[in-house]
Amino acid sequence: MSYTNQRQHIRTKFRAEVRLSHPDTGDLTLLTADISDGGVYILSQGKPLPATGEIVQVQVMGIGGDEAPLLNMKIVRSDGKGIGLEFVRQD
């Protein structure tokens, strides 16, 4: 099966350590590969990750003295190297 590029936002390479939290996996420390206005791509680093469609919480680690906010994100794709997540609007 081929993957059709359906991106709506320009990606920027961005390497940062993040904590991904989900009831099935607990807290995982992973690395981002890129980020856009719509979401982020996180490298799996060989760790089992939640399935496409699941909502996870993501927090960027090590950015100053205060804790970064927890962001709700939806897994929209998985390709064996990592997962693509989109920001979930919080109205």
Side-chain angles (χ1 to χ4, degrees):
M1 175 157 71
S2 67
Y3 170 73
T4 303
N5 186 341
Q6 299 176 358
R7 290 182 185 89
Q8 298 175 0
H9 305 282
I10 296 172
R11 294 176 295 157
T12 301
K13 289 197 181 301
F14 178 71
R15 191 62 59 116
E17 191 173 74
V18 295
R19 178 182 302 132
L20 183 140
S21 302
H22 185 269
D24 291 345
T25 60
D27 291 346
L28 299 172
T29 300
L30 302 166
L31 293 173
T32 63
D34 60 55
I35 192 166
S36 74
D37 286 343
V40 64
Y41 182 81
I42 295 178
L43 301 169
S44 64
Q45 299 175 270
K47 297 177 183 175
L49 299 175
T52 300
E54 291 290 315
I55 301 294
V56 297
Q57 287 190 315
V58 176
Q59 182 179 39
V60 177
M61 308 302 294
I63 57 167
D66 296 325
E67 281 200 21
L70 287 172
L71 302 173
N72 288 323
M73 302 192 81
K74 181 178 180 179
I75 300 174
V76 293
R77 72 179 179 94
S78 175
D79 63 10
K81 293 181 182 178
I83 52 175
L85 299 105
E86 71 180 6
F87 297 109
V88 175
R89 281 185 63 143
Q90 307 215 347
D91 295 325

